[in-house]
Amino acid sequence: MMRKYLWIFAFSVVALGACGKKEGVPATAAAPAAPAAPASAAVAVNSEEKVLNIYNWPDYIAKDMVANFEKETGIKVNYQTFENNEALHAKLVAGNTGYDIVVPGAVFAKPQIDGGLLAKIDKSKISRYSNLDSAIMEKLGTIDPGNAYLVPWAWSFTTVGINKAKVAKALGAAPNPLPLPDNAWELVFNPVYTAKLKSCGIAYLDSPTEVIPPAMHYLGKNAYSNDPADHRAAGEMLGKVRPHIRMFSSTMIDDLAGGKACVALGWAGDINIARGRAIENKNGNEVEALLPKTGGLIFFDTLAIPKDAKHPNNAYAFIDYFLRPEVSASLTNELGYATANKASLSSVKPEIAQDMAVFPDAVNLQKMVSPASFSNEARESMSNVFTHFKKGN
Ligand code: SPD
């Protein structure tokens, strides 16, 4: 059965109130003036070496965030990126990552918590912890009981993104109003549509746990089913559209913004970034994240401290800095990923606060699927199905 909840997330507050770094490159951008707020208590009592090693997803931090933190604290940040949850998980399982902060998707957190790979969060070292939205913390608590290990970084939903003009052309339709199927998932899962859209480029995320869950959801199954029979059913359905998929992309933002792909099974946040990038590049591509009738798949990405982190106090200092309202809001304003920092909502720009692809309204949230955890066996089974799917056999 699909898990649906009424998400309230303080949207009323938003309504009233209202890039990224490259892989493996340490943050050395020019630092603008430091924010006026004082450094946190965690920094004041911190005698650690002034280094912080962060491992995050690409295109997932506001541009001055690291530089301002470094300038204010004197802590040098080494910032590296990974492409998917599988890659981060493998590093954590191997151990000795050298990272002080990692950013797992909540869907992967349970095995990481149960496997003793993460340190418990010492909330007394995060003076701004209470800025977090209690409704979101409660949801996250279904995966991380008592919110013992994870601090939300941002949230969004897996969905379908389009390049409007290219899709209109491929469907042989007028762009305004664009006649889309009632359920946007059809654009990536129904061969009637994919056969037509093949010509302008369909891109999928390149990860079993990003593709099989929405495929199961489209089939009316639990998106977080651990049953291999459900994974196989998803694989069978995906096999029919395989000839129409142009790419499995880890550069979805540029593929959509630059026009290499006209339809994407992707993350709304990244599709929002692609929309902005196309506007910046003035290339005429109009990108949009759709709200499927049967709902997208909500996800939370979270800050966690690996058990063997060498600089946990620097990690706390960064988390506390991130929880400043203006700092959290800068991530949402620049990237189009929603923040879980309730205190920051009044600093979110009105046009972002009202953007349904960033903060979906209650009607759409109600249809969306909440994240859950997969068993180790289920991840393995999905990985097998995905490998066959990609190979086309
Ligand atoms: N550009 C930021 C990408 C972050 C995506 N995290 C998605 C996890 C979904 N399961």
Side-chain angles (χ1 to χ4, degrees):
M1 204 182 77
M2 282 192 320
R3 295 151 50 92
K4 293 176 180 171
Y5 300 97
L6 177 58
W7 293 70
I8 40 175
F9 288 8
F11 289 123
S12 50
V13 180
V14 177
L16 283 173
C19 245
K21 295 197 165 282
K22 294 283 180 245
E23 177 134 16
V25 178
T28 51
S40 71
V43 175
V45 295
N46 185 355
S47 58
E48 281 170 5
E49 174 194 22
K50 286 190 161 289
V51 170
L52 176 67
N53 299 309
I54 301 182
Y55 199 38
N56 196 355
W57 303 73
D59 295 286
Y60 217 16
I61 191 157
K63 64 179 181 319
D64 295 332
M65 212 184 267
V66 163
N68 284 343
F69 174 76
E70 287 182 320
K71 187 168 180 193
E72 188 174 326
T73 61
I75 295 170
K76 165 84 178 72
V77 174
N78 299 310
Y79 190 92
Q80 295 187 344
T81 61
F82 60 88
E83 304 290 350
N84 53 42
N85 271 313
E86 284 81 357
L88 169 60
H89 190 69
K91 282 233 179 185
L92 286 170
V93 169
N96 289 316
T97 61
Y99 296 115
D100 303 303
I101 292 184
V102 292
V103 189
V107 165
F108 268 65
K110 186 168 166 23
Q112 293 164 1
I113 293 169
D114 293 351
L117 306 178
L118 304 179
K120 261 198 176 162
I121 296 288
D122 181 347
K123 295 172 188 162
S124 73
K125 294 191 173 174
I126 307 175
S127 68
R128 299 178 178 89
Y129 192 84
S130 61
N131 284 352
L132 290 163
D133 188 327
S134 54
I136 293 181
M137 298 312 280
E138 203 178 304
K139 292 294 169 203
L140 205 46
T142 60
I143 286 172
D144 171 26
N147 303 120
Y149 293 88
L150 309 173
V151 175
W153 173 251
W155 66 271
S156 183
F157 53 100
T158 304
T159 187
V160 177
I162 57 166
N163 176 323
K164 287 170 83 174
K166 286 184 191 291
V167 164
K169 194 168 168 215
L171 294 179
N176 278 314
L178 179 59
L180 291 173
D182 218 20
N183 181 6
W185 290 119
E186 307 267 348
L187 295 173
V188 290
F189 293 139
N190 182 343
V192 170
Y193 284 99
T194 56
K196 291 183 185 158
L197 296 165
K198 176 185 169 190
S199 58
C200 61
I202 301 176
Y204 273 25
L205 291 166
D206 193 6
S207 147
T209 53
E210 301 295 350
V211 171
I212 309 290
M216 291 195 285
H217 174 60
Y218 175 69
L219 289 176
K221 299 181 183 298
N222 173 6
Y224 293 98
S225 170
N226 282 313
D227 184 346
D230 290 339
H231 309 150
R232 284 195 298 274
E236 207 168 298
M237 185 270 287
L238 288 168
K240 297 187 181 128
V241 297
R242 178 64 187 92
H244 310 149
I245 309 305
R246 180 176 290 177
M247 61 185 111
F248 293 88
S249 174
S250 50
T251 52
M252 190 72 92
I253 297 173
D254 286 329
D255 295 338
L256 268 177
K260 259 197 222 166
C262 64
V263 181
L265 190 178
W267 304 308
D270 275 12
I271 298 165
N272 295 336
I273 298 173
R275 179 183 55 191
R277 210 165 278 180
I279 293 170
E280 258 170 46
N281 295 344
K282 298 192 176 106
N283 60 14
N285 290 326
E286 200 184 334
V287 175
E288 185 180 327
L290 302 177
L291 291 158
K293 187 180 163 191
T294 59
L297 273 59
I298 297 255
F299 62 82
F300 297 110
D301 291 319
T302 61
L303 299 172
I305 302 177
K307 189 81 170 205
D308 55 2
K310 300 270 187 310
H311 313 99
N313 288 322
N314 294 346
Y316 286 121
F318 184 83
I319 295 171
D320 205 34
Y321 160 81
F322 170 65
L323 289 180
R324 288 180 190 170
E326 70 280 10
V327 176
S328 295
S330 68
L331 190 146
T332 299
N333 286 331
E334 285 180 34
L335 302 178
Y337 273 91
T339 176
N341 183 343
K342 193 168 177 177
S344 80
L345 293 176
S346 57
S347 307
V348 171
K349 292 179 189 162
E351 66 272 24
I352 304 283
Q354 284 150 24
D355 185 340
M356 298 257 278
V358 184
F359 293 99
D361 64 4
V363 172
N364 279 285
L365 282 172
Q366 198 172 14
K367 297 182 204 163
M368 293 203 187
V369 182
S370 297
S373 303
F374 287 114
S375 66
N376 292 339
E377 296 72 21
R379 278 188 280 110
E380 199 179 323
S381 149
M382 284 188 286
S383 166
N384 289 334
V385 167
F386 190 67
T387 304
H388 286 298
F389 163 56
K390 273 180 83 173
K391 281 192 196 151
N393 61 18

